[in-house]
């Protein structure tokens, strides 16, 4: 019985990942693609942007597990074997990192740090009047595990937090929830700092385009740590140029790595980070993946499984 690790993106860390998985699952043989040995032995594939088409080579595969929170890198494989559970990664260290990243940019924008940086360049001593956190509305798109954790940490800092998602939700504590396309404009029109954590699906692609960006109040900020394809990048640039959006922190892009000639690199109101907001932690992610494999071995359901109908 073996686990296959496959990625086109993590090669330099593959040894760390394979050692991490081997340590928590000594009963399994962890192999790294393309050194998979006998293809009949492979029962689990643990992947991040695996080479397209390889997964159909393993006749005894029982499940595909993601090394990251998203699974768009898996389901975009046109030759994916059918009928296998695809397991997302919900890992508390990854969630914590995403919270810290989001918090960093919220505070940067909320407390005018972006402005003081500009003032420093021209040696201007101007004290901006501060806004109390309870008077600042942060809107989070995507209230899954990560979005909810970010929301809760902001509520604890007394921010006014609202959320938007495609489906009805219960018990979001102090986060007022807006649901579906019909409530998107209500949600956006109150949002001064928008945090996107939505996964990329057929329904969320370009969900923030010209019309939706115009619903945001003038002078608002956007933090994107979900997926790049959710915001129409050329509409975003137009909204930044017009001053409708003051600044944006982008960790994810429609095309990654962000091409050298993309204007987002050089726009003065854009902060670019190279998709590092929630890096999976080999130690804790390996334990979560091992727990899910053991559940499958016991005939139980791993958590959470990708749902074809919701697209994530
Ligand atoms: C992920 C990511 O899906 O880092 O975990 O984007």
């Amino acid at each position: 019985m073996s686990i296959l690790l496959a990625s086109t993106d993590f090669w330099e860390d593959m040894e760390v990942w394979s050692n991490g998985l081997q340590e928590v699952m000594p009963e399994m043989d962890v192999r790294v693609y393309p050194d998979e040995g006998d293809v009949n032995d492979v029962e689990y594939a643990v992947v991040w942007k695996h080479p397209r088409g390889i997964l159909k080579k393993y006749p005894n595969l029982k499940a595909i597990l993601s090394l990251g929170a998203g699974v768009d890198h898996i389901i975009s494989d046109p030759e994916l074997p059918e009928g296998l559970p695809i397991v997302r990664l919900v890992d508390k260290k990854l969630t914590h990192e995403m919270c810290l990243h989001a918090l960093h940019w919220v505070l940067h924008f909320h407390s005018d740090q972006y402005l003081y940086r500009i003032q420093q360049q021209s040696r201007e001593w101007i004290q901006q009047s501060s806004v109390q956190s309870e008077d600042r509305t942060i809107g989070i798109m995507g209230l899954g595990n990560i979005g909810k954790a970010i929301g809760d940490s902001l509520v604890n800092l007394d921010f006014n937090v609202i959320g938007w998602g495609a489906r009805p939700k219960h018990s979001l504590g102090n986060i007022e929830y807006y649901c579906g396309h019909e409530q998107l404009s209500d949600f956006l029109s109150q949002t001064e700092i928008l945090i996107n954590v939505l996964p990329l699906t057929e329904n969320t692609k370009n969900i923030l385009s010209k019309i939706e960006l115009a619903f945001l109040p003038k002078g608002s900020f956007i933090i994107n740590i979900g997926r790049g394809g959710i915001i129409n990048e050329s509409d975003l640039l137009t909204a930044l140029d017009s001053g409708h959006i003051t600044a944006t922190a982008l960790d994810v892009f429609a095309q990654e790595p962000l091409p050298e000639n993309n204007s987002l690199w050089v726009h003065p109101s854009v902060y670019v980070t190279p998709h590092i907001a929630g890096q999976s932690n080999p130690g804790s992610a390996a334990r979560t993946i091992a727990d899910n494999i053991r559940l499958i071995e016991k005939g139980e359901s791993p958590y959470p499984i990708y749902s074809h109908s919701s697209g994530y």
Side-chain angles (χ1 to χ4, degrees), residues 48 66-73 94 225-227 252 275 278-280:
W48 175 256
S66 176
L67 272 176
V71 291
D72 46 323
H73 63 101
L94 188 151
I225 52 175
R227 283 292 181 262
V252 285
H275 201 143
Q279 288 169 302
S280 303

Side-chain angles (χ1 to χ4, degrees), residues 115-116 118-128:
L115 214 47
Y116 291 124
I118 299 169
Q119 287 181 198
Q120 185 179 343
Q121 278 150 14
S122 43
R123 301 173 191 224
E124 285 178 304
W125 184 275
I126 305 169
Q127 295 170 331
Q128 307 291 337

